[in-house]
């Protein structure tokens, strides 16, 4: 009897201890936000970086993403509505099976109607939305039953699944009849219905946004959300942000200024912080205008016929002047630029694909730095020093292919004035080119003015950047094909147009069967072509940088995925 | 007095119109626009950019955009037969983006009908809502700075005048120059580093209050430590200005006949300065009050930026940068109204304080 009592007592204690082990460890995760001051959150109306971060924490996704591989998974995943898809034989229709065990926090089941509503909203055009691109890419979305939807396309698109991912479930049962009133609905400021690891707490405009642990979160890794709350605290000044992080006022920060990272590394050495860095998805480049900036023209007319865009007097056109552009590339020491402009917090690029992309080919080497060879290449191309005894004297055209004899090798190099990193890049480029007789007049412009000049295609050369999406989409149709070479609203603002590149890029996008290996080979070929053409000097991706205080448990990021497991985090005091 | 006030308010109407036309014209004349800021992404097609520009109406001529802002667009494009599709348009095309389909009916009513429009950003919310939720923080910081500036600046000015040419006077003169010359971003950062968590750890490093999950910030008297540094940064300029203004005013008064008479009567220096001199020297301060109140409401963008203070100043700067025309125009109009009312208040106060002044 005594033994039985002892065993019972031990089991009871074990039960208690296991119960206490299951208890939430708690704490509030405080993240610094130097971005916009969001006051509106409806996922159909706004997707600024900050609001997108909030939405990701309180809404389910349609598709599951593997954070380790940064790829969409054809299967179930945490906080994802679809359990997988089947692709029709013609490759045009994806049929998704949806979970039947996900609920909004007000008890309504999440089902196909919540996806269909998003599609209907986009098509309605009732309110301008960042999702309008979905209507251009997807032909139709159809509800088969409450837990099955079919998404169809007009043509095979190997990246179609990325477009479908934008159809994230929306609580359709709270939407107003009149869609034009959605911006004025309470839901736009208070996401009172959600379904992720957190529920909406409150927004203090331009100051903080609090999210509360969702006790009913169905897919919690531990069975419960391990912290009490997540707070996004606005700290608009980046210098102050680092100070406040080091002072312990913030649990985590991301992307601090490169100039301040050394202090954070020092704190890591002291055991006060944890750091994760990776080659990011934001990249800077120096672009050459490959058309006549004095007479900007679209690449094609309304019927799709090519329009003569002329050529730039220094940089030529896509076909003409490759050697000159390559020489200008070789005259720069990009590694030195990375060191001086980003304090070493950048990773070299060889082409238009970021190292984190699945299609990136690491065997393609960046263009090497060799100023002497660059000078010789310019001379060979008909650009000779005006004073043969002075290698820094301005070069003039003597038999060059792009300008009349006697034309000096001078051009304007622009960037946006608010960006110290890019200002450093153009300054270093100017110094480097000056040594071989290439004279760049550097000018910085206010962002709005800069974009206007960029869109009107009147710039000579410019430094700017792109930020790729997540997961990465290697398709370069908008960046490097005539489709987006439109004066007044371009992404291919430098008028690059190589039919071979365009064809290979398109082939990779619509490849029957969408074999990853075959597509990768095609994208590798595209990378080689574009590096040889040198419409850009591909510089670097800015290294992503996440830091958390040592009090944060569970900090285990992947590239571009800081918060993938935030439901397991706790804050120990 | 009543006639004066009514006349001034009526005079304000053409002034406000003039301001609105001028500001709108300047704003549209600046390079760039919201579409570029909203769509600078490699995934956005030129067609999508054009469609967004058409929806926002930002490519329309100046007079159309101004009229839309002033009178709305529900009469410019509307559905006359009730089938839900716009079929009638004045001044603007029915199919603005050229896709063969009419654009939706206009929904804006214009500011003359009380509709200041919706922000291009901020989730397309009404700009009045966006602005008003920032006003409390701006007023809190502005009022605190004003109170500190006046309560320190005026006594310092008086003492400097009383001790004219003395050590204190010279010291305050130098300090006034220093305080006026200190850039607020520099002073703010310096104070933050000295008193914040990485320095002495005596004061919080920003925001309006600590972490609050729900329920908003507590009343200001329970979080004065958050007000201390930003208030000081803004107030130093006020202390410098008010002290010099007060000193000059008091010295000016000290040469008046009635002061000489008071001295001749054998009154003590304290009585002469504080009973007779100070009261009259304070009258010109009233003229500062109107514009000062406007300043209180307009925010202090740099200080708000450094201390993460959620005021109107930051909103204005970001709206101008983003070319968020509706928000910029709304702030400008509110500021213009506040300025006009501020000066009107100054005039009225001046008349109330100084019996020699009569408003006509």
């Amino acid at each position: 009897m005594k033994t039985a009592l002892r065993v019972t007592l031990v089991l009871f204690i074990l039960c208690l201890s296991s119960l206490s082990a299951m208890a939430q460890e708690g704490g509030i995760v405080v993240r610094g936000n130097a971005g916009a001051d969001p006051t509106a959150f409806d996922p159909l109306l706004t997707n600024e970086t900050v609001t997108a971060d909030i939405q990701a924490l309180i809404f389910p996704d349609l598709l599951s993403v593997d954070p380790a591989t940064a790829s969409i998974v054809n299967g179930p995943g945490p906080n994802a509505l679809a359990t997988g898809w089947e692709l029709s034989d013609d490759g045009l229709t994806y049929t998704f099976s949806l979970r039947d065990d996900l609920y909004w926090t007000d008890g309504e089941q999440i089902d196909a109607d919540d996806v269909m509503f998003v599609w209907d909203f986009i098509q309605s055009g009732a309110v301008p939305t960042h999702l309008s691109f979905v209507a251009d890419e997807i032909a139709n979305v159809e509800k088969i039953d409450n837990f099955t939807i079919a998404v169809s396309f007009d043509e095979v698109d190997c990246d179609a699944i990325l477009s479908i991912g934008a159809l994230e479930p929306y609580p359709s049962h709270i939407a107003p009849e009149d869609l034009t009133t959605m911006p004025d609905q309470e839901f736009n400021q208070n996401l009172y219905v959600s379904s992720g690891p957190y529920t909406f707490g409150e927004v203090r405009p331009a100051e903080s946004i609090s999210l509360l642990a969702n006790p009913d979160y169905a897919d919690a890794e531990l069975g419960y959300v391990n912290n009490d709350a997540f707070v996004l605290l606005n700290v608009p000044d980046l210098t102050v942000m680092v100070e406040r992080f080091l002072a312990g006022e913030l649990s985590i920060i991301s992307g601090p200024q490169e100039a301040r990272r050394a202090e954070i590394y020092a704190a890591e050495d002291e055991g006060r912080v944890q750091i994760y860095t990776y080659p990011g998805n934001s990249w800077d480049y120096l672009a050459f205008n490959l058309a006549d900036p004095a007479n900007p023209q679209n690449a094609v007319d309304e019927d799709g016929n090519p329009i003569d865009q002329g050529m730039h007097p220094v940089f030529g056109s896509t076909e003409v002047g490759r050697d000159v552009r390559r020489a200008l590339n070789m005259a720069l020491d990009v590694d030195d630029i990375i060191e001086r402009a980003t304090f070493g917090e950048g990773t070299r690029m060889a082409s238009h694909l970021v190292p984190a992309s699945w299609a990136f080919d690491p065997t393609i080497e960046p263009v090497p730095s060799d100023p002497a060879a660059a000078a010789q290449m310019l001379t060979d191309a008909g650009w000779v020093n005006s004073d043969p005894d002075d290698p820094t004297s301005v070069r003039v055209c003597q038999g060059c292919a792009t300008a009349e004899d006697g034309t000096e090798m001078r051009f304007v190099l622009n960037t946006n004035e608010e960006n110290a990193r890019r200002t450093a890049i153009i300054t270093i480029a100017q110094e480097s080119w000056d040594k071989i007789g290439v004279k760049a007049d550097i000018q910085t412009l206010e962002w709005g003015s800069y974009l206007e000049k960029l869109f009107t295609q009147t710039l000579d050369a410019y430094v700017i950047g792109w930020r790729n999406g997540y997961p990465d989409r290697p398709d370069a149709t908008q960046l490097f094909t005539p489709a987006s070479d439109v004066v007044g609203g371009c992404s291919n603002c430098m008028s690059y147009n190589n039919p071979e590149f365009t064809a290979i890029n398109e082939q990779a996008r619509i490849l029957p069967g969408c074999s990853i290996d075959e597509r990768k080979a095609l994208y590798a070929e595209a990378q080689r072509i574009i590096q040889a053409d040198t419409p850009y000097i591909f510089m670097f991706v800015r290294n992503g940088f996440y830091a958390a205080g040592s009090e944060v448990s569970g900090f285990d990021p992947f590239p571009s995925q800081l918060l993938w497991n935030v439901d397991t985090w706790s804050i120990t005091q | 007095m009543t006639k004066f006030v009514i006349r001034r308010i009526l005079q304000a109407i053409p002034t406000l119109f003039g301001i609105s036309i001028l500001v709108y014209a300047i704003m549209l004349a600046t390079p760039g626009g919201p579409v570029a800021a909203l769509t600078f992404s490699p995934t956005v097609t030129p067609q999508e950019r054009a469609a967004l520009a058409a929806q926002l109406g930002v490519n329309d001529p100046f007079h159309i955009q101004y009229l839309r802002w002033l009178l709305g667009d529900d009469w410019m494009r509307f559905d006359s037969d009730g089938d839900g599709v716009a079929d009638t348009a004045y001044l603007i095309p029915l199919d603005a983006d050229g896709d063969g389909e009419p654009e939706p009916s206009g929904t804006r009513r214009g500011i003359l009908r009380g509709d200041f429009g919706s922000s291009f950003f901020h989730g397309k919310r009404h700009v009045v809502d966006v602005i008003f939720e920032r006003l409390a923080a701006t007023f809190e910081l502005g009022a605190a700075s004003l109170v500190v500036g006046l309560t320190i600046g005026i006594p310092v000015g008086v003492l400097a005048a009383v001790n004219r040419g003395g050590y204190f006077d010279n010291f305050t003169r130098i300090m006034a120059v220093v305080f006026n010359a200190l850039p607020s971003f520099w002073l703010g950062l310096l104070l933050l580093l000295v008193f914040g968590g990485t320095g002495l750890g005596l004061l919080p490093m920003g925001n309006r209050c600590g972490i609050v999950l729900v329920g908003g910030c507590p009343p200001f008297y329970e979080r004065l430590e958050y007000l201390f540094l930003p208030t000081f940064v803004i107030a130093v300029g006020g202390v410098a200005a008010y002290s010099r203004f007060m000193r000059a005013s008091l010295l000016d008064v000290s040469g008046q006949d009635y002061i000489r008479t008071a001295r001749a009567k054998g009154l003590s220096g304290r009585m002469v300065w504080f009973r007779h001199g100070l009261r009259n020297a304070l009258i010109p301060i009233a003229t500062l009050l109107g514009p000062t109140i406007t300043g209180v409401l307009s925010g202090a963008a740099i200080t708000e930026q450094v201390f993460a203070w959620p005021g109107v100043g930051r909103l204005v700067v970001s709206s101008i940068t983003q070319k968020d025309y509706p928000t910029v125009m709304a702030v400008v109009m509110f500021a213009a109204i506040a300025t006009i009312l501020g000066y009107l208040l100054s005039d009225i106060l001046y008349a109330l304080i100084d019996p020699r002044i009569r408003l006509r």
Side-chain angles (χ1 to χ4, degrees):
Chain A
M1 186 66 184
K2 273 186 176 179
T3 308
L5 273 173
R6 278 179 189 153
V7 169
T8 308
L9 189 64
V10 168
L11 285 174
F12 182 67
I13 291 168
L14 280 174
C15 271
L16 277 182
S17 62
S18 69
L19 277 174
S20 79
M22 279 178 64
Q24 182 198 50
E25 292 175 62
I28 298 172
V29 181
V30 183
R31 181 178 187 181
N33 163 37
D37 297 331
T39 57
F41 304 94
D42 191 317
L44 299 183
L45 304 178
T46 178
N47 76 328
E48 292 163 7
T49 307
V50 181
T51 45
D53 286 348
I54 297 292
Q55 290 155 0
L57 292 172
I58 65 175
F59 284 116
D61 296 319
L62 176 62
L63 306 175
S64 173
V65 177
D66 180 352
T69 59
S71 57
I72 290 176
V73 177
N74 187 359
N79 207 30
L81 182 60
T83 56
W85 69 79
E86 287 181 6
L87 184 59
S88 62
D89 292 341
D90 60 6
L92 294 177
T93 303
Y94 291 76
T95 304
F96 292 89
S97 303
L98 309 182
R99 290 167 63 173
D100 60 3
D101 61 342
L102 273 186
Y103 291 85
W104 298 108
T105 47
D106 62 358
E108 283 285 330
Q109 190 163 33
I110 304 176
D111 58 20
D113 288 336
D114 296 322
V115 180
M116 290 305 300
F117 176 82
V118 177
W119 173 245
D120 293 339
F121 171 80
I122 294 168
Q123 286 200 306
S124 75
V127 184
T129 173
H130 57 280
L131 296 173
S132 58
F133 76 93
V134 174
D136 296 332
E137 297 180 0
I138 294 175
N140 192 33
V141 182
E142 188 184 352
K143 174 182 170 183
I144 308 296
D145 59 42
N146 277 351
F147 299 102
T148 312
I149 57 168
V151 181
S152 53
F153 293 80
D154 288 331
E155 61 174 10
V156 171
D157 184 344
C158 296
D159 292 325
I161 203 70
L162 295 172
S163 306
I164 299 171
L167 298 170
E168 294 178 347
Y170 184 93
S172 55
H173 59 285
I174 61 155
E177 287 278 315
D178 180 359
L179 297 181
T180 62
T181 65
M182 283 178 64
D184 305 320
Q185 299 295 316
E186 183 192 353
F187 191 66
N188 196 18
Q189 297 152 65
N190 174 12
L191 299 169
Y192 55 86
V193 175
S194 59
S195 179
Y198 295 95
T199 61
F200 201 74
E202 73 172 10
V203 54
R204 286 174 14 216
E207 196 175 6
S208 69
I209 300 156
S210 65
L211 308 178
L212 310 176
N214 179 3
D216 301 320
Y217 178 46
D219 293 343
E221 176 78 18
L222 303 173
Y224 49 85
V225 178
N226 201 22
N227 50 74
D228 298 320
F230 184 99
V231 172
L232 199 68
L233 194 66
N234 273 34
V235 185
D237 189 289
L238 288 169
T239 301
V240 177
M241 166 108 68
V242 173
E243 292 298 329
R244 293 182 70 170
F245 172 68
L246 293 174
E249 289 189 10
L250 306 172
S251 321
I252 48 170
I253 57 172
S254 56
Q257 292 166 306
E258 286 89 350
R260 303 300 306 277
R261 294 183 182 181
E263 292 167 66
I264 305 174
Y265 285 124
E268 183 190 34
D269 293 340
E270 295 166 9
R272 293 194 289 132
V273 306
Q274 315 163 65
I275 293 175
Y276 179 79
T277 64
Y278 60 96
N281 58 358
S282 297
W283 49 290
D284 281 352
Y285 59 87
L286 191 158
F288 299 117
N289 193 343
L290 304 182
D292 182 0
N295 183 28
Q297 298 286 333
N298 294 349
V300 293
D301 62 18
E302 289 180 357
D303 300 324
N305 302 312
I307 298 174
D308 181 9
Q309 297 179 293
M311 68 169 71
H312 191 276
V314 174
F315 312 126
S317 62
T318 302
E319 306 84 15
V320 181
R322 287 188 179 95
D323 286 352
V324 170
R325 298 193 296 271
R326 190 167 178 88
L328 293 173
N329 193 344
M330 291 171 65
L332 301 187
D333 183 348
V334 177
D335 291 324
D336 180 55
I337 289 175
I338 292 172
E339 200 56 46
R340 292 165 66 187
T342 75
F343 298 83
E345 291 289 327
T347 300
R348 188 79 192 270
M349 288 178 76
S351 73
H352 66 295
L353 294 183
V354 296
S357 171
W358 61 265
F360 174 73
D361 184 345
T363 65
I364 299 175
E365 293 290 327
V367 175
S369 171
D370 189 344
Q376 188 57 51
M377 286 171 72
L378 290 178
T379 303
D380 294 345
W383 291 96
V384 299
N385 287 112
S386 51
D387 178 354
D389 299 327
D390 180 4
T392 66
S393 62
V394 62
R395 288 177 180 271
V396 293
C397 175
Q398 277 186 14
C400 69
T402 54
E404 292 179 4
D405 281 0
T407 304
E408 292 188 339
M409 198 170 208
R410 290 183 185 275
F411 54 87
V412 178
L413 176 60
N414 287 96
T415 197
N416 53 312
E417 65 187 0
E418 308 88 353
N419 192 310
R421 184 182 67 256
R422 291 184 190 146
T423 306
I425 292 172
I426 64 172
T427 306
I428 298 167
Q430 183 192 40
E431 288 170 8
S432 305
W433 286 335
D434 187 64
K435 291 174 185 166
I436 59 168
V438 178
K439 306 301 175 186
D441 175 17
I442 58 175
Q443 289 180 7
T444 58
L445 297 167
E446 181 271 331
W447 180 244
S449 313
Y450 185 42
L451 287 186
E452 181 169 286
K453 285 209 166 204
L454 185 70
F455 283 178
T456 51
Q457 304 191 0
T458 53
L459 300 176
D460 288 326
Y462 52 91
V463 171
I464 200 166
W466 292 119
R467 186 175 64 203
N468 289 22
Y470 178 88
D472 184 53
R473 185 177 200 159
D475 175 56
T477 304
Q478 291 303 324
L479 288 188
F480 294 111
T481 72
S484 60
D485 181 6
V486 177
V487 177
C490 47
S491 297
N492 178 10
C493 300
M494 70 290 174
S495 302
Y496 175 69
N497 183 2
N498 183 334
E500 189 185 2
F501 176 89
T502 303
I504 290 176
N505 181 67
E506 182 69 358
Q507 196 183 343
R509 188 177 70 85
I510 61 172
L511 186 74
C514 297
S515 156
I516 289 290
D517 289 340
E518 287 178 44
R519 293 182 72 203
K520 209 168 175 177
L522 288 167
Y523 280 124
E525 184 57 25
Q527 291 174 73
R528 289 190 192 91
I529 292 170
I530 206 158
Q531 191 194 67
D533 284 343
T534 324
Y536 287 179
I537 294 178
F538 297 101
M539 297 241 167
F540 53 84
V541 288
R542 297 176 60 204
N543 286 349
F545 187 105
Y546 299 138
S550 55
E551 74 278 9
V552 178
S553 299
F555 175 76
D556 185 22
F558 288 108
S560 300
Q561 288 289 284
L562 170 62
L563 301 173
W564 69 277
N565 66 338
V566 68
D567 59 300
T568 67
W569 290 20
S570 65
I571 308 294
T572 53
Q573 298 301 326
Chain B
M1 172 78 86
T2 309
K3 279 185 183 173
F4 172 80
V5 172
I6 291 171
R7 196 170 66 240
R8 286 289 295 273
I9 289 173
L10 289 175
Q11 284 171 350
I13 293 172
T15 308
L16 289 171
F17 264 110
I19 290 171
S20 69
I21 292 174
L22 189 68
V23 173
Y24 213 104
I26 291 173
M27 199 170 57
L28 291 198
T30 57
V35 174
L38 285 166
T39 62
F40 188 63
S41 161
T43 61
V44 178
T45 64
Q47 294 74 23
E48 286 160 7
R49 285 196 182 96
L52 182 63
Q55 279 182 308
L56 298 178
V58 292
N59 286 346
D60 291 334
F62 167 75
H63 67 281
I64 299 290
Q65 292 197 51
Y66 182 75
L67 276 179
R68 182 184 285 120
W69 175 78
L70 192 70
L71 301 171
D73 63 1
D74 54 356
W75 57 275
M76 287 184 176
R77 186 190 296 124
F78 56 94
D79 167 25
S80 63
D81 57 11
D83 65 356
V85 179
D87 51 30
T88 309
Y90 299 108
L91 299 177
I92 56 176
L94 205 54
D95 174 18
D97 60 7
D99 65 355
E101 298 288 328
E103 308 306 323
S105 297
T107 55
R108 299 182 215 170
R109 290 177 295 123
I111 69 154
L112 290 186
R113 288 186 282 165
D115 179 4
F116 279 79
S118 300
S119 168
F120 294 158
F121 299 82
H122 301 288
K124 286 83 180 174
R125 291 174 59 206
H126 279 298
V127 293
V128 174
D129 295 339
V130 174
I131 292 168
F132 268 67
E133 65 194 10
R134 305 284 188 101
L135 271 183
T138 292
F139 182 77
E140 193 174 286
L141 183 57
S145 311
L146 181 61
V147 169
V148 170
L150 287 172
T151 52
I152 297 177
I154 288 180
V156 167
V158 171
L159 291 174
V162 171
N163 299 292
R164 183 183 185 183
Y167 287 122
F168 185 77
D169 186 26
N170 287 328
F171 175 72
T172 56
R173 192 159 53 200
I174 293 167
M175 290 311 293
V177 174
V178 172
F179 279 6
N180 259 329
L182 287 178
S184 54
F185 67 88
W186 178 84
L187 182 62
L189 278 175
L190 189 78
L191 292 173
L192 199 140
L193 293 174
V194 171
F195 293 101
T198 48
L200 298 173
L202 296 175
L203 292 167
M205 299 174 80
N207 296 102
R208 204 170 162 209
C209 61
I211 300 296
V212 180
L213 297 182
V214 287
C217 280
F220 79 94
Y221 50 83
E222 292 181 18
R223 48 183 170 82
L224 291 176
E225 67 273 26
Y226 288 87
L227 260 173
F228 193 86
L229 291 180
T231 299
F232 183 80
V233 171
I234 298 176
V236 290
V239 169
Y242 297 133
S243 66
R244 301 320 291 166
F245 199 82
M246 192 66 223
R247 177 185 179 276
S249 178
L250 196 53
L251 289 176
D252 187 45
V253 165
S254 68
Q256 300 290 318
D257 289 344
Y258 61 87
I259 295 291
R260 200 174 303 118
T261 305
R263 289 187 201 281
K265 282 164 62 180
L267 293 178
S268 66
R270 176 176 296 186
M271 283 291 282
V272 172
W273 281 111
F274 294 103
R275 183 79 181 264
H276 296 274
L278 181 58
R279 286 175 65 176
N280 288 292
L282 278 171
I283 292 173
I285 293 287
T287 59
L288 280 179
L289 207 58
T292 303
I293 290 171
T294 306
V296 163
L297 293 173
S298 64
I302 294 172
T303 308
E304 289 177 2
Q305 174 87 1
V306 172
F307 291 100
W309 196 265
V312 174
R314 261 167 63 195
L315 175 69
V316 173
V317 171
S318 66
S319 300
I320 292 172
T321 310
Q322 293 172 320
K323 317 286 183 197
D324 189 357
Y325 303 148
T327 305
V328 174
M329 284 306 295
V331 172
V332 166
M333 293 315 294
F334 284 133
I337 292 168
T339 303
I340 289 169
L341 292 179
Y343 278 102
L344 182 60
L345 181 67
S346 276
D347 290 344
I348 293 170
L349 276 177
Y350 208 64
L352 290 176
I353 294 169
D354 189 342
R356 293 170 298 183
I357 305 293
R358 286 285 174 270
L359 299 178
R360 296 182 181 186

